[in-house]
């Protein structure tokens, strides 16, 4: 299966908004990745959300809840593949399908073995158009800690250099 890369300026605009939401959640949502989600109908936001502190609410589920019935017929922009497994919350892919979203534009496939393409497959099986790859480089930078932990099983540590200046 070859991912498609959307190229419209509108898609780029809404993905930048989703990436900004994800960036704002970084460092506060462990054990989940910092994800941003924007639901759009035409040229207006129906709802938006980011993963909540402690990973308690996923971005997609919260955005869908905020949108309510306005979610039907929208395009969902998200920085990571919607989950397809039960954890602390039900699968986001199922919530997207139930809400009547017609298209999903995602920056990255989730490398977590519990997801890893299964969320996209579930969406496509339900007749939802799925585009993958827009904003991928930025999403990888935002989720570097999560991606490293999934790849290696260890947390990503960053050392900050402290420079002392003698006056």
């Amino acid at each position: 299966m070859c991912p498609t890369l959307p190229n419209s300026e509108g898609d780029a605009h809404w993905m930048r908004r989703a990436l900004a939401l994800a960036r704002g959640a970084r460092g506060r949502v462990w054990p989940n990745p910092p994800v941003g989600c924007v639901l759009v109908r035409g040229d207006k936001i129906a709802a938006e959300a980011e993963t909540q502190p402690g990973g308690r609410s996923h971005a997609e589920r919260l955005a869908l809840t905020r949108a309510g019935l306005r979610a039907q017929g929208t395009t969902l922009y998200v920085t990571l593949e919607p989950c397809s497994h039960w954890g602390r919350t039900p699968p986001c892919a199922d919530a997207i399908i139930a809400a009547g979203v017609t298209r999903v534009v995602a920056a990255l496939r989730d490398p977590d073995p519990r997801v890893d393409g299964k969320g996209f497959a579930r969406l496509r099986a339900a007749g939802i158009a799925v585009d993958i790859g827009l904003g991928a480089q930025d999403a990888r930078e935002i989720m570097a800690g999560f991606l490293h932990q999934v790849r290696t099983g260890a947390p990503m540590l960053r050392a900050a250099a402290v420079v002392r200046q003698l006056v």
Side-chain angles (χ1 to χ4, degrees):
M1 171 183 2
C2 181
T4 58
L5 182 63
N7 60 9
S8 83
E9 188 52 42
D11 286 345
H13 172 79
W14 299 119
M15 182 56 75
R16 283 191 298 272
R17 178 64 191 147
L19 289 162
L21 291 165
R23 198 171 285 112
R26 195 171 35 183
R28 301 181 298 112
V29 299
W30 186 259
N32 290 342
V35 174
C37 177
V38 181
L39 284 162
V40 177
R41 178 186 313 245
D43 64 349
K44 301 221 183 307
I45 294 176
E48 62 183 21
E50 66 282 336
T51 307
Q52 294 300 289
R56 296 295 185 248
S57 292
H58 291 192
E60 305 96 305
R61 187 162 289 280
L62 185 55
L64 291 167
T65 298
R66 289 176 176 170
L69 295 175
R70 294 186 323 262
Q72 190 168 9
T74 58
T75 296
L76 184 143
Y77 295 86
V78 66
T79 56
L80 186 67
E81 176 180 7
C83 67
S84 57
H85 66 284
W86 279 82
R88 293 181 187 169
T89 63
C92 290
D94 291 351
I96 292 166
I97 294 164
V101 171
T102 56
R103 180 173 175 237
V104 172
V105 179
L108 295 177
R109 181 174 174 153
D110 188 338
D112 183 322
R114 297 171 297 174
V115 183
D116 199 14
K118 297 176 190 85
F120 292 144
R122 194 174 286 184
L123 296 171
R124 285 184 174 121
I128 297 173
V130 176
D131 294 306
I132 308 160
L134 183 64
Q137 181 175 335
D138 288 332
R140 276 194 282 291
E141 290 170 14
I142 292 165
M143 291 182 237
F146 169 77
L147 297 172
H148 176 80
Q149 191 277 331
V150 169
R151 272 193 317 274
T152 67
M156 185 171 90
L157 303 174
R158 290 188 184 196
V162 177
V163 178
R164 293 188 183 182
Q165 196 174 50
L166 298 175
V167 181

